[in-house]
Amino acid sequence: MRRRPLLRWVFLIATLTLAACARGPVDHQQTLLVFGTLLEIKAFTDKPDAFHRAVADLDQTFQRMHRVWHAWKGEGELVRLNRAFAAGETLQISTELAELLRQSQHYAELSDGLFNPAIGHLVGLWGFHSDEPPGGPPPDRESIQGLVDAAPSMADIQFNANRLSSANPSVAIDLGAFAKGYALNLAIRRLSDFGLAHAIVNAGGDLCVSGSHGDRPWRIGIRHPQGDGVIAAIDVADGECVLTSGNYERYREYDGIRYAHILDPRNGYPVEHVASATVISHDGALADAAATALSVAGPSRWREIAARMGLSQVMLVDEQGKVYLTPVMQQRIEFQRTLPEMIIGVPGSDGSM
Ligand code: AMP
Ligand code: MG
């Protein structure tokens, strides 16, 4: 008789525990404002506390990186480094920034200089070192040509451990084409450190994932470069990142002409022929650098640059909506609308297309 209440408690606790287990993992989601963009972090987990701690940690990390890596605002490390380069001086920088710059130097070389984060002065000249979209006429030809002739290149940077100098004073680093991919890699790693192995981190359509969404893969949409909506859907596997560069993202408009924020370092002018370039890779930083490089490469050189950068999953959309893609990309992508034309190309450099 006396054991009954105790039994009842044991039964109740066991039931509650089972109920908690049966609930299992669910979606937890939070959005941060970092790098001037909204970063959506989602984890499929039964550890809400770990999720909230991880998000707070990432928020702090990203706010700090934003200050340190900013190309033109404040007194961060990158602003000081660019000043040192201009003055022909040497500057000791953090290991983290040095690592970021070493990686971007490597990708700049792989891309044959089409991804070139040393063209900060050119980006500034076109008015993209501003929170507001630039207005007015484009810069004059002479100023553009002057910066092109100065030929700033990542190869000009000399590393002596973390002490950096540039042989060319026109080098000014702008990490706008690269930092997001690097940060997405970091976010996925950090979530995993907090025991969150099933996550998606999405900054305006650029994303990396880990694990899966329960018994299904994470599924995402790739934004159509012209107008609203989605051009394609895709299942993203554990560890993959999907990065897109688009000339629709930021531009300068004057006299009915749009000047994109992605510049061709060879002539100093915004790219015209490509509306967007999408890359899937296990490395978000590589994918970010490559998406920018492929936007510059355009329909005539995209296969060559994809091969040089070791990519097998690439898609370009041109100004007419024509789609160029690799066979691996074609196999997995699900287009959500009829395309005017689809051209499949294997990465390589035989010069055609
Ligand atoms: P993304 O959206 O990743 O293609 O990055 C574009 C941003 O990178 C621009 O807003 C510029 O700050 C910078 N940028 C523009 N053209 C280039 C280029 N050819 N290589 C490297 N960075 C660039
Ligand atoms: Mg990029």
Side-chain angles (χ1 to χ4, degrees):
M1 279 290 185
R2 288 178 59 92
R3 280 167 60 200
R4 263 203 200 136
L6 179 67
L7 267 179
R8 225 176 5 240
W9 276 112
V10 170
F11 181 72
L12 185 66
I13 289 167
T15 313
L16 285 175
T17 310
L18 274 176
C21 293
R23 240 184 107 227
V26 291
D27 281 339
H28 293 274
Q29 189 174 329
Q30 211 164 310
T31 303
L32 303 177
L33 178 64
V34 284
F35 298 111
T37 180
L38 293 176
L39 181 80
E40 187 188 281
I41 304 170
K42 193 195 258 190
F44 187 70
T45 181
D46 55 4
K47 299 176 195 137
D49 291 348
F51 177 73
H52 290 115
R53 278 187 284 121
V55 171
D57 183 289
L58 282 173
D59 193 17
Q60 267 198 354
T61 305
F62 287 150
Q63 303 301 351
R64 178 179 55 76
M65 283 177 171
H66 186 51
R67 280 194 304 275
V68 172
W69 297 349
H70 212 291
W72 44 272
K73 233 190 229 176
E75 274 296 304
E77 225 177 353
L78 196 59
V79 167
R80 286 188 285 122
L81 183 64
N82 285 338
R83 208 182 291 140
F85 285 164
E89 290 165 2
T90 300
L91 189 75
Q92 167 100 23
I93 57 167
S94 66
T95 302
E96 187 177 43
L97 183 60
E99 169 57 21
L100 192 75
L101 294 177
R102 268 194 205 94
Q103 276 191 30
S104 56
Q105 190 182 51
H106 176 59
Y107 294 140
E109 193 194 331
L110 279 188
S111 75
D112 199 20
L114 301 190
F115 161 69
N116 183 359
I119 59 167
H121 289 311
L122 206 48
V123 177
L125 181 68
W126 277 95
F128 293 111
H129 282 171
S130 149
D131 289 330
E132 301 302 320
D140 62 83
R141 267 180 194 284
E142 293 70 41
S143 310
I144 294 170
Q145 198 53 48
L147 289 179
V148 172
D149 292 343
S153 156
M154 292 305 286
D156 292 321
I157 300 175
Q158 283 128 24
F159 290 81
N160 180 0
N162 294 348
R163 290 174 60 77
L164 270 64
S165 58
S166 170
N168 181 344
S170 75
V171 167
I173 308 294
D174 175 321
L175 293 170
F178 181 68
K180 202 194 269 181
Y182 187 91
L184 290 173
N185 278 346
L186 185 146
I188 287 291
R189 274 202 309 273
R190 190 67 56 85
L191 289 166
S192 158
D193 292 345
F194 277 85
L196 304 158
H198 302 277
I200 180 162
V201 189
N202 185 342
D206 290 329
L207 54 97
C208 291
V209 316
S210 60
S212 60
H213 193 218
D215 51 10
R216 296 173 287 128
W218 292 104
R219 191 171 175 75
I220 59 124
I222 297 172
R223 189 177 147 187
H224 199 293
Q226 286 115 359
D228 294 330
V230 160
I231 187 168
I234 196 158
D235 288 337
V236 190
D238 180 24
E240 285 187 324
C241 300
V242 185
L243 276 285
T244 299
S245 267
N247 62 10
Y248 53 87
E249 284 176 41
R250 292 186 78 206
Y251 50 83
R252 169 190 200 118
E253 195 153 14
Y254 183 72
D255 235 1
I257 302 174
R258 280 189 181 186
Y259 300 92
H261 69 135
I262 302 165
L263 305 176
D264 185 335
R266 295 165 301 184
N267 60 22
Y269 279 81
V271 300
E272 284 176 3
H273 37 251
V274 168
S276 72
T278 300
V279 174
I280 304 182
S281 161
H282 277 83
D283 182 347
L286 165 64
D288 199 351
T292 306
L294 291 164
S295 298
V296 179
S300 60
R301 275 191 85 193
W302 72 275
R303 295 165 59 241
E304 179 205 338
I305 298 301
R308 284 183 65 110
M309 300 190 84
L311 308 168
S312 62
Q313 306 191 55
V314 168
M315 175 175 77
L316 261 70
V317 183
D318 77 6
E319 288 284 318
Q320 285 72 46
K322 210 194 274 182
V323 170
Y324 302 77
L325 75 179
T326 57
V328 184
M329 192 69 139
Q330 191 226 351
Q331 267 168 24
R332 61 183 300 192
I333 201 161
E334 295 164 39
F335 288 104
Q336 306 291 300
R337 52 176 89 189
T338 318
L339 305 172
E341 197 179 345
M342 185 163 86
I343 297 164
I344 297 163
V346 180
S349 56
D350 67 1
S352 62
M353 225 146 31

